[in-house]
Amino acid sequence: MHRFILSRPLAHLVNLHLLPSITRYRSMSTSIPGKYDSWSKEKLIEKLLEYEQREHSATPKTKVDSSVEAPAKSRKHELPSSENSPRPKSKKVKKEQRPFDITKYPKRHIALKVAYFGWNYYGFASQGEKGTVETVEDQLFRALLAARLIADPATCNYSRCGRTDKGVSGLGQVIALDVRSNIPQDESRDRRTEIDEIAYVDLINKQLPSDVRVVAWSPAEDSFNARFDCRSRKYKYFFAKGGLDVEKMREGAKMFLGSHDFRNFCKIDPAKQIVNYERTVLEADIKRVEGMNFSSPELELYELNLTGTAFLWHQVRCMMAVLFNVGQGLEQPSIVQQMLDVDTLPSKPNYEMASDIPLVLYDCQFDGLDWQFSSNKDMLGLSRLHKHIVEQWYTHTTQTLMFSTMYKELGSLLVKPADQTPCTWSEHLGSGKVKATGTNVILGGGRELRLNKYIPMIQRQRQEPFDILNARYNAKRQAKEASS
């Protein structure tokens, strides 16, 4: 029989380690007869080592029993183990973001209805790269680029319905442009309705400041142009009644109806070389603003509703300035008809136009547009827009309330005019005893123009006729081109 030979130190260790197992097997062999009865000690050790080897290879390694602690002195200078010590935070390497390639996506032509409060902007239209002033269109372009709906404002087939002036607001401005879409251009009409389009209203509004919002969007034909396809534009101009004769103003406003030459109700710009100043007014009426509570008739608010096919530069503000003169009794309503007669009055009298703050582009009318206010069935987009407008309304109403409170406080102050009975400041102003030299010409929006003497419109100095202004501008431009 072959014997398994161990070196003396190893055999000694094996004997100590396996002694309990050998004793157990021997006790078993005395009570249970078997094949191990006749085995020698060395063969039993060999067999047990074989079993332990198999068990060791089949069982995963386990951690050392933590209950067996090292002596305190030896632990004092030990370095903390890697398992217990805090691991340094690994810095995540940011993957380089791929540049967004808008050319890989479908595109479509759409119209957007835009609302904005223009008091903080230098008009609606962008002034271009050289412009140093902020416009509403600048905000829209930034939002469209940030939302990755366009690649470049210069190449997105862009058009606008109107160019409102500095400070003028808009609730129904319309623009048109090509934007990124979820719907492939070659999809059938039936299939297009099944594909969820981009939530344009929500996506753009997230990038806009609080005083500019997209209200709705509509699919549009590729040939659609927001300027030339507009059927009509409606403006509103708000003003306080004060001491104005609203009936006379309404009478004068009616004279604007129809097609007229409005050269005396606009700002002449020779750079545009305009030769046709005829425009058509479809609606011109003055109404009381409903739904407002007023503490006195003088504080009642009215609005001029003016609808036309197109308007000239500063036309509405010039029209309103003349109507204010009529309301103050400085001019008769017939002055409107006289200024529309370009044979009698071939060029514009010099006068200050009305304030920009109360003017708003209220609506623009088109054929064939299907306005969509939200991109989901639960109208979530419209709900968000409504919530935002309510927040803005609350903020500005609170500010108005503060000014109203101070206005009332000033009116309740007790004053004692010379040789008069003490009274409140409001009573003193309403007594008619406050006499001021000169004339305060109302310009709207709380503004007034102080004149020592009011000169009737017909008697004022007039500008040069537009054809002379155009010819002079052309001569200067040609001389400049020749010199360069």
Side-chain angles (χ1 to χ4, degrees):
M1 181 177 66
H2 176 74
R3 292 178 178 272
F4 184 77
I5 301 173
L6 297 172
S7 63
R8 183 175 181 81
L10 182 58
H12 176 68
L13 291 173
V14 169
N15 287 336
L16 291 175
H17 180 63
L18 299 177
L19 185 57
S21 299
I22 294 169
T23 305
R24 185 170 66 255
Y25 278 116
R26 278 182 174 174
S27 64
M28 290 171 63
S29 64
T30 58
S31 60
I32 303 173
K35 65 178 181 177
Y36 300 111
D37 292 345
S38 59
W39 284 32
S40 65
K41 176 182 176 182
E42 287 80 1
K43 191 171 182 179
L44 285 171
I45 292 172
E46 181 182 355
K47 194 66 175 176
L48 287 169
L49 285 172
E50 182 183 342
Y51 285 149
E52 287 206 356
Q53 178 127 8
R54 286 181 192 171
E55 186 182 358
H56 180 73
S57 61
T59 308
K61 293 183 180 180
T62 57
K63 293 182 182 179
V64 178
D65 189 355
S66 59
S67 63
V68 181
E69 294 186 356
K73 290 183 179 179
S74 63
R75 292 200 312 268
K76 183 177 181 181
H77 300 291
E78 282 180 355
L79 292 173
S81 66
S82 59
E83 293 180 1
N84 298 326
S85 61
R87 297 182 179 179
K89 293 183 180 179
S90 59
K91 293 183 179 179
K92 292 184 179 180
V93 180
K94 290 185 179 179
K95 293 183 179 180
E96 188 174 343
Q97 197 172 13
R98 291 182 182 178
F100 185 76
D101 188 0
I102 198 172
T103 60
K104 293 183 178 179
Y105 295 83
K107 68 177 181 178
R108 70 185 302 178
H109 199 58
I110 68 169
L112 295 175
K113 181 173 286 191
V114 183
Y116 54 94
F117 302 95
W119 312 308
N120 298 323
Y121 297 100
Y122 205 86
F124 181 80
S126 176
Q127 305 296 320
E129 294 181 1
K130 295 181 180 179
T132 57
V133 293
E134 197 68 31
T135 68
V136 177
E137 213 167 60
D138 292 334
Q139 298 289 356
L140 286 170
F141 287 151
R142 287 195 198 103
L144 290 163
L145 288 168
R148 293 177 173 176
L149 292 176
I150 64 172
D152 186 350
T155 60
C156 66
N157 192 21
Y158 179 84
S159 62
R160 72 179 76 86
C161 184
R163 297 173 62 103
T164 52
D165 305 326
K166 174 182 176 294
V168 177
S169 299
L171 299 182
Q173 174 73 275
V174 174
I175 63 173
L177 71 167
D178 294 337
V179 294
R180 174 169 59 89
S181 172
N182 281 342
I183 303 175
Q185 292 180 328
D186 56 354
E187 265 321 326
S188 64
R189 283 187 177 272
D190 294 338
R191 174 66 179 146
R192 284 177 175 233
T193 58
E194 299 175 4
I195 302 175
D196 289 334
E197 186 53 286
I198 295 173
Y200 292 118
V201 174
D202 276 353
L203 189 60
I204 300 172
N205 283 341
K206 287 178 182 177
Q207 306 293 336
L208 288 171
S210 61
D211 50 5
V212 182
R213 278 295 180 274
V214 172
V215 178
W217 77 278
S218 170
E221 297 293 333
D222 291 341
S223 59
F224 176 79
N225 186 287
R227 178 185 176 188
F228 297 112
D229 290 333
C230 181
R231 286 196 298 105
S232 65
R233 299 160 174 86
K234 181 172 183 176
Y235 283 89
K236 284 180 178 285
Y237 195 102
F238 300 98
F239 63 94
K241 182 179 182 297
L244 295 171
D245 189 332
V246 177
E247 286 302 321
K248 284 190 175 182
M249 293 176 69
R250 187 177 289 117
E251 182 183 346
K254 294 293 184 185
M255 297 180 185
F256 287 123
L257 289 170
S259 297
H260 304 282
D261 189 318
F262 283 92
R263 70 181 68 178
N264 294 329
F265 291 93
C266 70
K267 185 173 181 178
I268 306 295
D269 183 8
K272 296 180 180 179
Q273 294 290 294
I274 297 176
V275 295
N276 180 14
Y277 288 87
E278 184 174 305
R279 297 293 184 271
T280 300
V281 174
L282 305 172
E283 177 194 17
D285 193 16
I286 296 177
K287 297 179 180 179
R288 184 178 182 271
V289 177
E290 301 297 336
M292 304 286 288
N293 296 321
F294 308 102
S295 58
S296 64
E298 289 75 18
L299 296 178
E300 290 181 351
L301 292 177
Y302 284 78
E303 61 184 21
L304 168 70
N305 291 282
L306 193 64
T307 305
T309 54
F311 291 89
L312 296 162
W313 190 19
H314 292 323
Q315 180 180 340
V316 180
R317 293 169 65 186
C318 288
M319 294 167 70
M320 198 65 213
V322 174
L323 291 178
F324 278 141
N325 290 342
V326 172
Q328 283 189 266
L330 302 173
E331 301 283 353
Q332 293 301 312
S334 58
I335 187 61
V336 174
Q337 193 65 51
Q338 289 177 281
M339 293 178 68
L340 290 172
D341 185 359
V342 295
D343 293 330
T344 304
L345 204 65
S347 59
K348 179 186 175 183
N350 291 325
Y351 62 91
E352 190 82 9
M353 63 182 174
S355 170
D356 50 5
I357 294 175
L359 180 59
V360 57
L361 175 59
Y362 183 72
D363 192 23
C364 301
Q365 290 294 319
F366 296 87
D367 292 326
L369 293 184
D370 179 21
W371 292 115
Q372 300 179 30
F373 298 91
S374 187
S375 299
N376 38 47
K377 294 180 181 179
D378 57 3
M379 305 301 285
L380 185 60
L382 185 57
S383 176
R384 287 197 187 105
L385 176 63
H386 179 262
K387 183 176 183 296
H388 174 78
I389 295 301
V390 169
E391 289 174 355
Q392 296 300 307
W393 170 85
Y394 188 85
T395 298
H396 290 279
T397 301
T398 303
Q399 292 171 346
T400 301
L401 180 60
M402 292 181 182
F403 282 104
S404 298
T405 302
M406 186 171 184
Y407 174 80
K408 292 177 181 178
E409 289 297 319
L410 288 174
S412 64
L413 291 176
L414 287 173
V415 294
K416 187 177 181 181
D419 301 328
Q420 293 182 28
T421 305
C423 59
T424 64
W425 179 244
S426 295
E427 292 171 343
H428 180 61
L429 291 176
S431 65
K433 296 179 180 179
V434 180
K435 294 183 179 180
T437 57
T439 304
N440 290 330
V441 179
I442 295 174
L443 299 176
R447 289 181 54 209
E448 293 184 348
L449 178 64
R450 181 78 174 168
L451 298 176
N452 291 328
K453 182 181 180 181
Y454 181 83
I455 300 175
M457 201 69 71
I458 296 297
Q459 300 176 15
R460 294 187 187 186
Q461 185 176 359
R462 300 199 298 269
Q463 299 176 2
E464 292 181 300
F466 72 86
D467 51 350
I468 295 177
L469 294 173
N470 286 349
R472 183 181 296 120
Y473 179 87
N474 264 333
K476 287 183 178 179
R477 180 175 56 81
Q478 291 171 3
K480 185 177 181 180
E481 290 175 354
S483 63
S484 59

